[in-house]
Amino acid sequence: MDTVTSTSASLTLTLPTLPVRTITASISVSSSLPLPRSHRQQRLYSQKRSFSNSSSSSVAVPKFTVSCGITEINESQFNVTVLKSERPVLVEFVATWCGPCRLITPAMESIAQEYADRLTVVKIDHDANPQLIEEYKVYGLPTLILFKNGEEFPGSRKEGAITKVKLKQHLDALLESISVT
């Protein structure tokens, strides 16, 4: 039976798109247990991975890319853009570090295009706007809130990732009840 005592490997990748970033990955494998026959060729029983991202370029990477009808606003723009709007406004509270926020970005961009004639979609960065986060009690990200006539529309709040289909169903029901009211 074969045994693995110690092995280490280092891998460096350079990504050629946008600002150049170097990602270094090191894998350490150590075990004194005998390997099963199916694993003898792989020689990987337990892995430790560490990744470091060193950005040596002087190019600033933007936090958000505003596109497809979604505008990123801040606390100073909130009053005019959301509270004084004559149209319904769907506000998406997000953060750059939030995985579910990035996950729903394509659905939100699609919704902004499809519903452009009926509502406005804006994005607010959680970290840069703490007063709005506190005022509207945003506890989970992403949080979606529909505003009408300067107030949060009852039952409109959604927290967490949501599929495009579920989001469309939710918005259709809200917009229908707004038009009836």
Side-chain angles (χ1 to χ4, degrees), residues 95-104 142 161:
T96 55
W97 46 262
C98 171
C101 299
R102 290 190 302 267
L103 186 68
I104 70 165

Side-chain angles (χ1 to χ4, degrees), residues 1 12 15-16 23 30-31 34 38-39 42 60 66 70 76 87 95 102 104 113 126 128 130 142 149 154 157 165 175:
M1 262 191 171
T12 302
L15 302 174
I23 298 174
S30 63
S31 175
S38 62
H39 288 78
Q42 292 178 352
V66 179
I70 300 178
S76 63
R87 303 174 58 179
R102 290 190 302 267
I104 70 165
Q113 286 180 342
H126 173 275
N149 298 327
R157 184 180 291 247
V165 172
L175 292 172

Side-chain angles (χ1 to χ4, degrees), residues 157-174:
R157 184 180 291 247
K158 284 283 188 188
E159 290 184 0
I162 186 171
T163 65
K164 181 181 171 185
V165 172
K166 294 274 186 192
L167 181 56
K168 284 180 76 169
Q169 291 172 349
H170 179 66
L171 284 176
D172 287 339
L174 290 172

